[in-house]
Amino acid sequence: MARNISKESLEQKIAKTEKAISKNREQYDRLTAELEELHKKQKAIQSEELLKAIEGSSKSYEEILDFIQGKEERGE
């Protein structure tokens, strides 16, 4: 049999739980925004590394683009 609980006690527990959920939602939103910013920084670093690699490569732009797109090598 379920334990009897007073109306006031139940309302207090509901309020406490709603507050905890709200706090967790705020933390989730903050952490999600932080993660998104970190991913943007990571992508910027990767893009910079890729550009440096392309600049230092003996391959032409077209050859690099074909390779990235998975196309057959030209002239072979």
Side-chain angles (χ1 to χ4, degrees):
M1 181 175 239
R3 180 178 123 211
N4 287 339
I5 187 168
S6 71
K7 181 179 177 183
E8 293 78 20
S9 178
L10 181 60
E11 288 174 357
Q12 288 175 354
K13 286 185 178 191
I14 289 171
K16 182 179 177 183
T17 303
E18 287 173 342
K19 185 177 179 181
I21 289 171
S22 176
K23 184 177 179 181
N24 287 335
R25 184 174 293 130
E26 290 168 7
Q27 182 181 20
Y28 171 83
D29 290 344
R30 182 176 37 79
L31 291 172
T32 300
E34 181 180 346
L35 181 59
E36 185 177 326
E37 187 62 32
L38 291 170
H39 280 145
K40 286 179 185 178
K41 288 178 182 180
Q42 181 182 42
K43 188 172 182 175
I45 290 169
Q46 289 172 340
S47 294
E48 188 175 322
E49 289 174 339
L50 184 58
L51 286 175
K52 285 181 183 179
I54 290 170
E55 288 173 359
S57 175
S58 62
K59 301 290 184 178
S60 71
Y61 171 81
E62 288 79 15
E63 289 172 320
I64 294 170
L65 193 58
D66 285 347
F67 174 76
I68 291 170
Q69 294 174 343
K71 295 181 182 174
E72 297 289 322
E73 286 192 34
R74 295 172 191 234
E76 292 187 7

